Amino acid sequence: MNAIWSNISPTVCLNTPFPYSRKIVNGSDFSQQMWLFRRNGTSGFSSSSTAEEVTDGIDGSGLTAIVTGASSGIGSETARVLALRGVHVVMGVRNVSAGKQVKEAIVNEIPAAKVEAMELDLSSMASVKKFASEFTSSGRPLNLLINNAGIMATPFKLSKDNIELQFATNHLGHFLLTNLLLDTMKRTAGETKREGRIVYVSSEAHRFSYREGICFDRLNDQEGYNRWLAYGQSKLANLLHANELARRLKEDGVEITVNSLHPGVVTTNLFRHFGVWGGNLGLVEGFLGTLGKLVFKNVQQGASTTCYLALHSQLKGTTGAYFADNNMAKANAKAEDTDVAKKLWDFSMDLIK
């Protein structure tokens, strides 16, 4: 299972001030550690279940999936496990070189794997349109869309399209991508008579957005910008979009489900901006070293809920729901506000025109 991690740049780092040290901890080192919450839920799985465990015995042959942000972290593990189960995986990656390394590592471990890497920068609408155009032109079917890529707690910056970067990358890029690929997914579901699935990797951080939830009127306000609240805003937008899309597809009678999830606290390269905390990074390092093995998930565990939602038969027909630790969870009330979801939909449609 761990062959892939010896062939690509690792992203699991503990006992370090995050990205500023290169001491690497292999994901398997955590697999036998005691966990605070490992009781199985109604699904039969828990926070400590791995992506391989929740998909054990599932045959994904004949399915095609797009996984965004698949060049590292839980994205690459998601791609690996889907490929292991026979799914044809298209990795949408900003760093094509890193994506090719992941592809080679997967194929080295799983010779029969069907994996390819395509360039996709979700912060650029031009890049998203190019990716979607190339994919649809290929004539491939599309059964699974895993909206996984994201950035976290970045300093204030505008995207190439002059939109606050976290909102542009985490929400708007995926909103546009999903919109452009939806006809292909509908056609695939109709022709194959197999349920299509769209999975959004959100976060519990959706609970910690700005007071109004989504800052429709001051999205690009640098003066009022808070990198953590902006991250929460983008993750709240993921849930709102997923719920509204699920409602629309269900209303239209389309056999495509849409669900969102919190992957858990996973030590991946999303933590590269944690240095902005300032203060004593040694204190942070000590905290990670002492409690990290009890609290944080490894990448194999972090990708499990994504793979569970993508492939497990238990989820057939389930749509518009939020999951954590491979079980259904309760999202913040703001994420379930249908009026805000519709407003965000219209707002996003205007931005992508």
Side-chain angles (χ1 to χ4, degrees):
M1 181 180 77
N2 294 305
I4 185 173
W5 303 110
S6 63
N7 290 286
I8 63 174
S9 300
T11 58
V12 183
C13 306
L14 287 186
N15 298 319
T16 76
F18 302 106
Y20 303 104
S21 171
R22 297 301 297 166
K23 182 178 179 181
I24 302 303
V25 180
N26 188 293
S28 63
D29 294 343
F30 302 97
S31 60
Q32 302 302 318
Q33 298 300 327
M34 183 178 73
W35 275 70
L36 297 179
F37 309 103
R38 65 179 299 148
R39 186 176 62 181
N40 289 347
T42 55
S43 68
F45 304 113
S46 71
S47 61
S48 61
S49 300
T50 67
E52 285 197 19
E53 289 170 348
V54 301
T55 59
D56 185 40
I58 296 176
D59 182 6
S61 300
L63 299 177
T64 300
I66 289 176
V67 182
T68 70
S71 61
S72 65
I74 63 176
S76 62
E77 176 66 358
T78 298
R80 184 187 75 84
V81 173
L82 293 183
L84 180 66
R85 303 309 177 206
V87 179
H88 182 163
V89 179
V90 178
M91 303 186 300
V93 295
R94 185 169 58 86
N95 186 330
V96 177
S97 177
K100 289 180 178 179
Q101 289 183 46
V102 172
K103 172 188 173 180
E104 290 172 3
I106 292 174
V107 173
N108 285 339
E109 180 188 345
I110 313 163
K114 299 176 182 177
V115 189
E116 55 190 295
M118 293 176 58
E119 185 175 11
L120 173 62
D121 180 356
L122 286 155
S123 71
S124 165
M125 285 192 271
S127 178
V128 174
K129 291 175 181 177
K130 181 174 182 290
F131 174 92
S133 177
E134 290 179 353
F135 181 85
T136 54
S137 296
S138 71
R140 295 186 189 88
L142 182 58
N143 306 90
L144 310 172
L145 175 58
I146 314 297
N147 289 324
N148 164 80
I151 56 176
M152 182 172 70
T154 60
F156 180 83
K157 185 178 180 181
L158 296 179
S159 70
K160 296 175 182 177
D161 304 295
N162 293 315
I163 300 167
E164 189 275 307
L165 190 60
Q166 293 194 78
F167 189 87
T169 304
N170 297 350
H171 165 64
L172 196 62
H174 283 124
F175 181 90
L176 175 59
L177 179 68
T178 303
N179 186 61
L180 294 174
L181 295 174
L182 202 52
D183 283 345
T184 300
M185 291 199 72
K186 289 178 179 179
R187 185 171 60 253
T188 301
E191 291 176 351
T192 63
K193 307 301 180 185
R194 299 179 74 168
E195 178 182 85
R197 295 186 181 184
I198 299 173
V199 179
Y200 256 109
V201 179
S202 182
S203 170
E204 278 291 279
H206 81 274
R207 303 180 191 278
F208 307 101
S209 180
Y210 294 102
R211 180 175 299 178
E212 59 266 60
I214 306 295
C215 299
F216 293 107
D217 298 325
R218 53 185 185 89
L219 187 64
N220 292 347
D221 178 19
Q222 183 173 1
E223 185 175 339
Y225 180 78
N226 178 294
R227 67 189 68 197
W228 293 105
L229 297 182
Y231 177 67
Q233 173 181 244
S234 70
K235 295 288 100 179
L236 174 61
N238 286 160
L239 268 75
L240 288 166
H241 176 219
N243 292 343
E244 177 64 11
L245 180 58
R247 185 190 68 79
R248 290 174 180 243
L249 291 173
K250 187 174 183 179
E251 190 176 82
D252 293 341
V254 178
E255 292 295 313
I256 299 174
T257 62
V258 191
N259 294 294
S260 53
L261 68 102
H262 168 57
V265 182
V266 186
T267 48
T268 72
N269 59 3
L270 271 181
F271 287 91
R272 60 188 175 275
H273 293 288
F274 266 36
V276 300
W277 276 350
N280 186 355
L281 282 175
L283 182 63
V284 177
E285 177 180 349
F287 168 77
L288 291 176
T290 303
L291 297 180
K293 294 180 182 180
L294 295 176
V295 178
F296 292 161
K297 291 184 179 184
N298 61 40
V299 176
Q300 291 84 1
Q301 293 163 333
S304 64
T305 307
T306 304
C307 292
Y308 172 66
L309 291 178
L311 291 182
H312 209 287
S313 60
Q314 288 180 357
L315 280 303
K316 182 174 176 55
T318 300
T319 192
Y322 177 62
F323 290 79
D325 299 331
N326 300 292
N327 286 277
M328 198 173 291
K330 182 69 174 176
N332 186 276
K334 289 181 179 178
E336 299 176 347
D337 190 321
T338 55
D339 290 335
V340 175
K342 292 175 183 176
K343 183 176 180 179
L344 176 65
W345 184 283
D346 293 338
F347 180 74
S348 302
M349 288 297 293
D350 287 340
L351 288 176
I352 65 174
K353 286 181 180 176

